[in-house]
């Protein structure tokens, strides 16, 4: 589970970076932002499993879930911004 959590959390930022590197193509940029958002949701899912399996770590895991939830909202807002303001990236 630790390995899956590390991969999904790393994928959040990696997909944003890769998408930005392809910002010349709107569809690619958006696709990678969607991947990032999905990886964020996957990370939250892994943390929720850890919360059930290891309740002794409730405090830190609950904080991480909250932080990733905020991050997911920010990624989603940025995705909408890119969709609606594409001409500002050209």
């Amino acid at each position: 589970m630790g390995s899956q959590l590390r991969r999904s959390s790393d994928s959040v930022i990696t997909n944003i970076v890769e998408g930005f590197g392809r910002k010349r193509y709107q569809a690619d940029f958006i696709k990678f932002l969607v991947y990032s958002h999905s990886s964020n949701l996957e990370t939250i899912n892994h943390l929720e499993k850890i919360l059930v399996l290891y309740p002794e770590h409730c405090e830190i895991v609950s904080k991480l879930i909250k932080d990733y939830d905020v991050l997911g909202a920010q990624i989603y807002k940025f995705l909408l911004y890119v969709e609606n303001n594409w001409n500002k990236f050209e």
Side-chain angles (χ1 to χ4, degrees):
M1 185 170 302
S3 175
Q4 291 172 318
L5 178 60
R6 283 187 293 276
R7 282 195 307 270
S8 65
S9 62
D10 183 54
S11 182
V12 174
I13 187 65
T14 303
N15 280 304
I16 292 172
V17 171
E18 187 167 356
F20 187 77
R22 298 171 187 237
K23 70 182 182 291
R24 180 176 181 149
Y25 306 103
Q26 182 183 21
D28 277 354
F29 194 8
I30 290 170
K31 175 178 71 172
F32 281 95
L33 290 174
V34 169
Y35 291 163
S36 174
H37 190 256
S38 298
S39 292
N40 191 75
L41 291 171
E42 181 183 356
T43 300
I44 291 171
N45 178 260
H46 292 313
L47 288 168
E48 288 172 343
K49 285 188 266 183
I50 290 171
L51 192 58
V52 170
L53 294 171
Y54 304 99
E56 65 272 18
H57 299 294
C58 178
E59 189 175 329
I60 186 68
V61 175
S62 294
K63 182 182 178 339
L64 287 170
I65 290 171
K66 187 184 224 182
D67 290 346
Y68 273 97
D69 194 42
V70 169
L71 178 60
Q74 292 171 331
I75 293 168
Y76 184 74
K77 287 179 188 175
F78 183 59
L79 172 59
L80 293 178
Y81 179 82
V82 171
E83 288 176 333
N84 296 318
N85 297 283
W86 178 246
N87 57 345
K88 293 180 182 177
F89 287 94
E90 297 181 306

